[in-house]
Amino acid sequence: MTSEVVRQQGKLLLPFQRQILASLVPDSDAHHSAGNALLILARGLGLRSIVATLLKIYQSPEHLVVVVNATPEEERCLGEEVGMKMQVIGYEKPAADRQSLYKSGGLISVTSRILVVDMLNGAIPVALIAGLVVLHAEDVTPTSIEAFVIRIYRNMNKTGFIKAFSDEPEAFTHGMAPLQTVMQQLKLREVLIWPRFHEQVCDDFGKRKSDVVEVYQPLSDSMREVQTAVIECMEATLSEIKRSNSYLEVEDLTVENALFRTFDGLVRAQLDPVWHKVGPKTKGLVADLTTLRKLQAYLLEFDCVSFNRFLETVLSAQNTTKGGFENKNKSPWLFTTAADTIFKVSHDRVYKKIEKPKPKLLAGDKGKEKERDDSPFIDDDWGPTEEEEEAMRAIEESMMSEQRKAMGLEEESPKKKPRAREAWLPDDVEPVLEEQPKWLLLADVLEEIENDLYWSAADPWGVSNDTILVMCGTSDTCTTLREYLSSYDDEDGGQSMMRSKLHSYLVWKSHIGRLHRNVKRGWGNKNKVPTGPVKGNAMPNVIPTADGSFESAAMKRKREWQRGQAPAGKRRRVRGGGAVGGSGSTHGGQVEPPKTFVPSSGANGEAFEAESTEMADFMDATTAGGSAPAYMLPPEPQGDVAFSEIAFNEYFGLLPNEDLVILRPYAGDEDDRILEELKPKYIVIYDPDPAFIRRIEAYRAAHQGLAVRVYFLMYKDSVEEQRYLSSIRKEKDAFEKLIREKGSMVIPHEAEYRPGEEEDSATLRPINSRVAGGRIVKTAPPKVIVDVREFRSSLPSLLHAGSFEVVPTTISIGDYIITPEMCVERKSLPDLISSFNSGRLYQQCEQMTAHYKQPILLIEFDEKKSFNLETYAEPRGKGGIEPPSETDLRSKLVLLTISFPRLRIIWSSSPYQTVDIFRELKENRDEPDVDKAISVGLDEASGGAAAEGTGEAGLGFTAVELLRNLPGITTSNYRYVMSKVDNIEELCQLPLDRVQELIGVEKGKVLFDFLNKNITSVVDLLDV
């Protein structure tokens, strides 16, 4: 490739992007290893454009270029960028079709798991591959399957290129020499580092700058109070974690780091080696940090109703366990004063309780105050009602306004109609419905843009249009803003939308109340006693309840105490002997709704439960009587309305982008194409994102004469601002660390294979020291047959790195065949637990014992976690009353060894140790036979019962799925059927006796009847 080709293909790129491309594409007379490099680029600088241009350069039927580790979204976008000429290979393509695509050349994107199997099987000509393009290079680790692919490729192809890309510089800052480790796995020696502060990037972006308007919106007092309280809870939680675990790196445990999602993985990575020593308290604290971080984000993203709803969901989940019992291990932060502030202030942002005025007492009636309070005949609603007070205030205001108008002090203005109170709103609830401050700011910005569009002249260049683009952090934020802007009113703002959300919130709370009520009734029904006479004193102190059930006197006293009622034995003096309590009363069969319900105060789970129950009673009472409220009734059907094309186009027609306010969430590299397609004149950054700001800079620098105005909205002195500044600083520190490591790292000699540099093959083979003192060298590496489904794990890659010959195939029994008599079933700890619970492990061990002399169960731990079974031990039942054989993982293993005496269990601390175990097991033993391993279990009805899924080499995915869905075909016999018939057509033509010979008498009869069913009558009925 020459520099002229680079200039021709990269004419749409910026100068610094063309310079990067020139470093990756060498001249035709350069050494074949030139251009092999790892590119680490800052986010937002056009990585996808560089990769797409590189693929266009190498796009040719004579070159087979394979794209590795691309997401489905990247495959789609790159395919569109290169002109839909990139083939995508997935699991649905059989091996024969994949092989033909490989031989046709061109650009191919394939998953790493399929590619490594095809490389080992010889389905793809590795020696003819022109090069590999590896995306997301930060994922390439010694145990990753991408490292496996690169190792095979470089061993079989010494001249092809490898180009890796990454836009996650922070991922190269964790661990010991992370950049050197990734470079070694990529077999590369050169790294290109391009941060935002690169001199060339600053020069390109500095030539044409956008018109940026930064608007900082202060938080409301309530939001600032909640934010401060959440930070206090996070600081307290972090302090408790540091105090309980002194072996953690304290410098990483800060509130600033806790604002990012990566903090959870950071803490867990430090705790994993000692996770078995970590108590339940610390584990709960780690989970609490995730919840508190979500609260910080949701406070700014959600509206006040949704945020309070999320808080109450957290409180309800903490209050009870899965079985309905009271949770004794609540999160510690819920007991702090800051937590009370969070819940109380968030609740007051939605609505407040109206304190009803008490009737004024005369001087002679002061002694009767207590008597009046206790009397059930005194009406608590004495005095004017709320509607009467509002009417009197309206009359007074109108009279005063008329007087001012008569005196000439006030001009006449249109009267604002007072909002009617909704029927679904309780009487003592006053909605507050605080709107997000940034909503009103966005409305003001859009109004300013509208005025600017009205008064500004048309663009003389005709490059930009009048499109308004609003970028948000999430799709939920886009939905909320869309609802707010569509329902915005100059007088009420977004109160109509907020009242709709309040109604949904109250309905949700009533559902929670009904759930609590049903749970209590369910536990009460468990206390029922059988009807009939009770002999002797078998059931003393049993009291019948209103619903026909029975409960003990102690349970009744406890229930009454939880409700706040006085026990039956402690009567309260009531004037007139009337009944006291009750949330509602009936008059003539009509149920009246309860007058009041008490809102919860702080992080009080019991108060929330009582409030939700009372809300459920209120909702049930308002809908009692047979007819639903007016707001729940469907609209009345209208008569025939004449069709109006103008009205139809107004509501359903397509509108140009200039007449729309487009709201979109951030989509990574896809945002570059959005800017190119829309060419917006006004861009509103609702949620700040450093990567998108750089995309705007690149977009502005690439278009001359383009008028772009950017509105940058941010909450002042908020977590949002801190997160934005911290992300920029973290990226800058990461690039500085990479630059320092690049100058001091040492790349091993074998990281890049070149012709003439191969070492003697004898040194690359394992030496058998027991034969002639180590002077005789093995001519062939040890062989291990691996099931294709095992390539999801890292063990096949490490076996290949350990000089094993890995043979991928589909086997019915076991995961690894290491000798003709030795079969290994590998289980990770989570897989072991699930296999015990489903019973699949017993069936697998039964098959291995029946077909192999030495069946082995390999239990493999994660190398990053502790080598201790207590980490994964299942908890015992409540009180420890359940037998250990049903709950303890160790007891299940003992029962498994008793059931299968010939089964051997091997414990491995990591996949690295498993490689050494396999090497020791294979010493002085014969190599396994591939054909025999495939045929084992296929000739019996029990064969292949443990094999799930597909992946048969050379067989069509659709045909196998069709066969498995036929009646009489099961997972235990479909492989045997495939070995006896060539295709579905041949199976359909078999006689009954032949089908029964294949799968049995009953199953064969079912399958034969299904295949030969006469459907003529059914077709005739359909025609009629």
Side-chain angles (χ1 to χ4, degrees):
M1 297 297 174
T2 61
S3 58
E4 182 64 27
V5 178
V6 174
R7 287 193 296 268
Q8 182 66 23
Q9 294 290 342
K11 58 184 178 180
L12 298 179
L13 300 178
L14 294 175
F16 80 90
Q17 294 174 343
R18 289 196 294 268
Q19 183 177 346
I20 294 174
L21 195 62
S23 302
L24 295 174
V25 182
D27 295 333
S28 57
D29 55 349
H31 193 269
H32 64 84
S33 62
N36 294 351
L38 165 64
L39 173 61
I40 303 178
L41 191 67
R43 285 182 293 271
L45 297 186
L47 179 62
R48 181 174 295 178
S49 301
I50 297 174
V51 175
T53 307
L54 178 69
L55 295 179
K56 289 180 182 178
I57 295 175
Y58 287 102
Q59 176 184 338
S60 174
E62 290 80 15
H63 298 92
L64 175 58
V65 179
V66 181
V67 181
V68 183
N69 202 24
T71 62
E73 180 67 19
E74 290 173 340
E75 291 175 344
R76 180 184 63 83
C77 296
L78 289 176
E80 295 177 357
E81 291 285 342
V82 299
M84 304 300 292
K85 295 182 179 180
M86 186 174 70
Q87 299 290 336
V88 178
I89 295 179
Y91 69 93
E92 69 279 356
K93 287 187 180 295
D97 295 345
R98 297 199 301 267
Q99 190 171 5
S100 62
L101 286 176
Y102 294 145
K103 292 181 179 179
S104 61
L107 302 178
I108 295 178
S109 178
V110 59
T111 61
S112 303
R113 181 186 168 203
I114 295 177
L115 181 59
V116 71
V117 173
D118 290 342
M119 283 182 167
L120 293 173
N121 285 331
I124 179 173
V126 180
L128 301 180
I129 297 178
L132 296 181
V133 176
V134 184
L135 303 182
H136 303 286
E138 67 275 1
D139 298 334
V140 181
T141 60
T143 58
S144 64
I145 196 169
E146 288 78 21
F148 193 6
V149 170
I150 295 172
R151 188 187 315 115
I152 299 175
Y153 170 73
R154 189 50 77 196
N155 289 341
M156 303 177 67
N157 189 330
K158 304 298 194 302
T159 59
F161 67 81
I162 298 177
K163 305 182 190 300
F165 301 89
S166 175
D167 58 353
E168 298 288 341
E170 296 86 357
F172 295 89
T173 59
H174 302 291
M176 182 67 67
L179 180 60
Q180 179 177 342
T181 302
V182 174
M183 295 285 291
Q184 184 176 357
Q185 299 303 319
L186 290 171
K187 310 299 180 184
L188 297 175
R189 291 182 177 178
E190 184 179 0
V191 56
L192 305 177
I193 301 176
W194 283 79
R196 171 60 181 85
F197 54 84
H198 195 283
E199 183 179 2
Q200 183 66 37
V201 179
C202 295
D203 292 342
D204 294 342
F205 285 173
K207 294 178 180 179
R208 305 181 185 92
K209 295 183 179 181
S210 302
D211 181 15
V212 181
V213 179
E214 297 184 2
V215 184
Y216 291 89
Q217 172 66 40
L219 294 172
S220 62
D221 295 338
S222 57
M223 293 178 65
R224 186 180 297 105
E225 193 173 355
V226 173
Q227 176 182 273
T228 305
V230 173
I231 293 177
E232 291 179 4
C233 292
M234 296 180 72
E235 291 177 348
T237 304
L238 287 173
S239 300
E240 186 64 22
I241 293 178
K242 296 176 184 178
R243 188 184 62 83
S244 303
N245 306 274
S246 57
Y247 40 80
L248 294 179
E249 296 182 8
V250 180
E251 61 273 8
D252 294 333
L253 301 181
T254 60
V255 177
E256 181 182 359
N257 292 333
L259 299 178
F260 298 90
R261 295 182 179 179
T262 56
F263 181 75
D264 299 338
L266 179 65
V267 176
R268 187 60 191 266
Q270 295 188 23
L271 291 176
D272 274 340
V274 291
W275 192 252
H276 63 286
K277 300 179 181 179
V278 176
K281 181 180 178 181
T282 303
K283 297 178 181 179
L285 292 174
V286 174
D288 292 340
L289 287 177
T290 304
T291 303
L292 293 172
R293 190 191 66 247
K294 290 181 179 179
L295 290 181
Q296 286 284 21
Y298 294 164
L299 175 64
L300 305 180
E301 295 177 7
F302 289 178
D303 55 90
C304 62
V305 179
S306 301
F307 181 73
N308 186 61
R309 180 174 177 175
F310 177 76
L311 274 175
E312 292 181 345
T313 303
V314 173
L315 183 61
S316 179
Q318 291 280 345
N319 194 39
T320 57
T321 60
K322 293 182 179 180
F325 297 99
E326 183 181 0
N327 187 10
K328 301 297 184 181
N329 299 321
K330 297 181 182 179
S331 298
W333 69 273
L334 290 174
F335 299 96
T336 61
T337 307
D340 292 336
T341 303
I342 295 173
F343 282 86
K344 186 178 184 305
V345 175
S346 300
H347 188 279
D348 292 343
R349 293 178 65 202
V350 182
Y351 61 85
K352 292 184 178 181
K353 177 192 173 185
I354 302 174
E355 296 291 343
K356 290 189 174 297
K358 294 184 178 181
K360 296 182 180 180
L361 300 178
L362 300 177
D365 295 337
K366 292 183 179 179
K368 300 180 181 180
E369 182 178 357
K370 180 178 179 181
E371 210 171 41
R372 181 185 297 273
D373 293 340
D374 294 340
S375 176
F377 303 103
I378 298 299
D379 189 3
D380 292 337
D381 296 334
W382 181 86
T385 62
E386 183 180 355
E387 291 79 4
E388 294 173 348
E389 291 181 354
E390 291 181 357
M392 288 189 293
R393 284 196 297 267
I395 293 174
E396 293 177 359
E397 291 178 359
S398 62
M399 293 175 61
M400 295 178 63
S401 178
E402 291 177 358
Q403 293 177 1
R404 288 194 296 267
K405 291 176 183 178
M407 299 174 61
L409 300 177
E410 181 179 350
E411 297 181 357
E412 294 187 5
S413 59
K415 296 182 179 179
K416 180 180 178 181
K417 185 178 179 180
R419 181 186 295 272
R421 189 176 182 84
E422 291 81 355
W424 45 264
L425 200 61
D427 295 338
D428 60 344
V429 169
E430 179 64 27
V432 177
L433 301 178
E434 179 184 86
E435 299 180 11
Q436 296 291 87
K438 202 184 271 191
W439 292 355
L440 184 59
L441 179 62
L442 177 62
D444 295 340
V445 169
L446 294 179
E447 184 178 0
E448 178 183 337
I449 293 175
E450 185 177 357
N451 295 332
D452 185 68
L453 288 174
Y454 181 79
W455 294 105
S456 62
D459 184 11
W461 298 94
V463 177
S464 62
N465 49 40
D466 296 337
T467 303
I468 304 174
L469 178 62
V470 181
M471 298 301 296
C472 307
T474 60
S475 57
D476 294 336
T477 305
C478 293
T479 303
T480 304
L481 292 180
R482 187 178 297 111
E483 295 177 2
Y484 174 77
L485 295 176
S486 60
S487 62
Y488 179 79
D489 184 79
D490 293 336
E491 296 181 355
D492 293 338
Q495 286 299 307
S496 59
M497 180 196 74
M498 297 300 297
R499 285 183 174 267
S500 176
K501 290 182 175 292
L502 176 62
H503 178 214
S504 302
Y505 163 74
L506 295 179
V507 173
W508 168 81
K509 179 169 283 189
S510 66
H511 291 328
I512 297 295
R514 294 189 188 98
L515 180 62
H516 288 301
R517 189 169 56 194
N518 294 337
V519 168
K520 288 184 178 180
R521 289 178 180 176
W523 286 110
N525 292 337
K526 291 185 179 182
N527 296 325
K528 288 184 178 180
V529 297
T531 57
V534 180
K535 297 182 180 180
N537 296 327
M539 288 185 146
N541 299 329
V542 175
I543 303 173
T545 59
D547 58 354
S549 62
F550 294 84
E551 63 179 357
S552 63
M555 287 296 297
K556 181 179 180 181
R557 288 194 301 269
K558 180 179 180 181
R559 181 167 52 82
E560 291 176 347
W561 174 79
Q562 290 176 346
R563 265 201 242 158
Q565 299 177 357
K570 297 183 179 180
R571 299 187 59 187
R572 176 176 138 193
R573 181 179 300 177
V574 179
R575 184 176 181 181
V580 181
S583 58
S585 59
T586 58
H587 297 281
Q590 181 69 25
V591 180
E592 294 184 358
K595 297 296 182 181
T596 63
F597 76 99
V598 181
S600 60
S601 175
N604 191 345
E606 291 77 9
F608 167 72
E609 182 178 345
E611 179 186 1
S612 59
T613 304
E614 292 175 359
M615 178 55 67
D617 296 338
F618 174 80
M619 289 294 181
D620 294 341
T622 53
T623 56
S627 62
Y631 66 89
M632 298 182 62
L633 295 177
E636 297 181 359
Q638 300 179 356
D640 296 336
V641 181
F643 176 76
S644 174
E645 185 176 358
I646 299 177
F648 179 83
N649 291 331
E650 181 180 355
Y651 286 97
F652 302 103
L654 297 178
L655 298 176
N657 291 334
E658 292 80 0
D659 298 336
L660 297 176
V661 177
I662 302 176
L663 294 97
R664 283 188 58 87
Y666 295 117
D669 292 330
E670 184 69 12
D671 294 335
D672 293 330
R673 192 174 64 169
I674 295 299
L675 293 174
E676 292 291 340
E677 291 180 356
L678 297 179
K679 287 185 170 56
K681 185 176 182 180
Y682 301 94
I683 302 175
V684 181
I685 302 179
Y686 186 82
D687 295 322
D689 181 61
F692 187 76
I693 295 174
R694 294 165 187 167
R695 300 184 199 280
I696 297 177
E697 292 178 322
Y699 167 71
R700 179 67 180 87
H703 297 82
Q704 296 182 1
L706 185 65
V708 178
R709 177 179 295 179
V710 180
Y711 289 89
F712 185 80
L713 310 184
M714 181 182 289
Y715 283 113
K716 186 179 181 181
D717 299 331
S718 65
V719 174
E720 181 182 66
E721 182 180 9
Q722 179 65 29
R723 189 187 301 116
Y724 172 76
L725 298 177
S726 297
S727 61
I728 296 177
R729 183 184 57 80
K730 284 178 176 293
E731 185 186 73
K732 179 177 177 294
D733 295 342
F735 272 113
E736 291 178 351
K737 182 177 180 181
L738 287 174
I739 293 172
R740 290 192 299 267
E741 185 177 355
K742 177 185 177 181
S744 60
M745 70 178 179
V746 178
I747 302 298
H749 178 70
E750 62 271 16
E752 178 72 27
Y753 291 94
R754 299 185 180 184
E757 294 182 351
E758 298 92 342
E759 299 180 8
D760 193 321
S761 59
T763 60
L764 301 179
R765 302 290 185 177
I767 298 177
N768 189 348
S769 60
R770 297 187 180 184
V771 182
R775 298 180 180 178
I776 298 180
V777 181
K778 288 185 178 181
T779 58
K783 182 190 298 184
V784 176
I785 301 175
V786 184
D787 187 58
V788 292
R789 291 174 288 270
E790 273 296 303
F791 281 86
R792 299 187 184 97
S793 65
S794 60
L795 182 56
S797 175
L798 297 180
L799 287 173
H800 185 270
S803 301
F804 281 84
E805 179 186 356
V806 178
V807 181
T809 186
T810 302
I811 54 180
S812 303
I813 300 175
D815 295 328
Y816 299 86
I817 309 299
I818 56 179
T819 66
E821 300 178 351
M822 197 175 297
C823 176
V824 179
E825 180 72 27
R826 189 194 69 89
K827 294 291 183 183
S828 61
L829 265 298
D831 188 20
L832 179 66
I833 296 173
S834 61
S835 299
F836 268 126
N837 295 335
S838 63
R840 188 175 73 253
L841 181 59
Y842 183 89
Q843 188 179 16
Q844 292 171 343
C845 294
E846 186 178 22
Q847 292 176 350
M848 288 193 301
T849 305
H851 293 88
Y852 290 93
K853 293 182 179 180
Q854 297 181 3
I856 297 174
L857 174 62
L858 173 66
I859 302 177
E860 187 178 83
F861 288 73
D862 190 352
E863 68 273 9
K864 296 181 181 179
K865 297 183 179 180
S866 60
F867 187 37
N868 196 307
L869 195 59
E870 295 179 0
T871 307
Y872 304 89
E874 300 177 14
R876 297 181 180 271
K878 183 180 179 181
I881 59 176
E882 297 181 3
S885 59
E886 296 181 5
T887 58
D888 195 358
L889 183 60
R890 291 165 293 188
S891 301
K892 294 178 181 180
L893 289 173
V894 171
L895 291 178
L896 188 67
T897 55
I898 293 175
S899 301
F900 304 100
R902 289 196 294 115
L903 179 67
R904 297 294 180 264
I905 298 178
I906 296 179
W907 303 84
S908 176
S909 61
S910 67
Y912 295 96
Q913 187 181 13
T914 303
V915 176
D916 298 334
I917 293 174
F918 278 15
R919 182 176 289 108
E920 294 178 1
L921 292 175
K922 287 183 64 63
E923 286 185 359
N924 301 325
R925 297 180 184 271
D926 297 334
E927 298 294 341
D929 185 18
V930 179
D931 297 332
K932 184 178 179 181
I934 296 175
S935 62
V936 169
L938 295 181
D939 54 348
E940 298 181 6
S942 61
E948 297 292 340
T950 58
E952 287 73 17
L955 300 177
F957 177 81
T958 307
V960 174
E961 287 299 310
L962 175 61
L963 176 64
R964 297 185 63 179
N965 285 281
L966 293 177
I969 301 297
T970 63
T971 56
S972 62
N973 58 22
Y974 81 98
R975 295 177 185 271
Y976 180 70
V977 173
M978 288 192 300
S979 65
K980 298 300 181 181
V981 295
D982 295 336
N983 48 47
I984 300 294
E985 182 181 0
E986 181 181 350
L987 178 64
C988 295
Q989 296 175 356
L990 293 178
L992 176 61
D993 55 348
R994 179 59 177 156
V995 176
Q996 291 179 340
E997 181 181 350
L998 287 176
I999 61 176
V1001 178
E1002 295 182 0
K1003 295 180 180 180
K1005 183 67 168 58
V1006 173
L1007 178 60
F1008 181 81
D1009 293 342
F1010 175 79
L1011 296 177
N1012 298 273
K1013 186 176 182 180
N1014 187 5
I1015 61 173
T1016 306
S1017 57
V1018 179
V1019 175
D1020 295 339
L1021 291 175
L1022 293 176
D1023 293 338
V1024 174

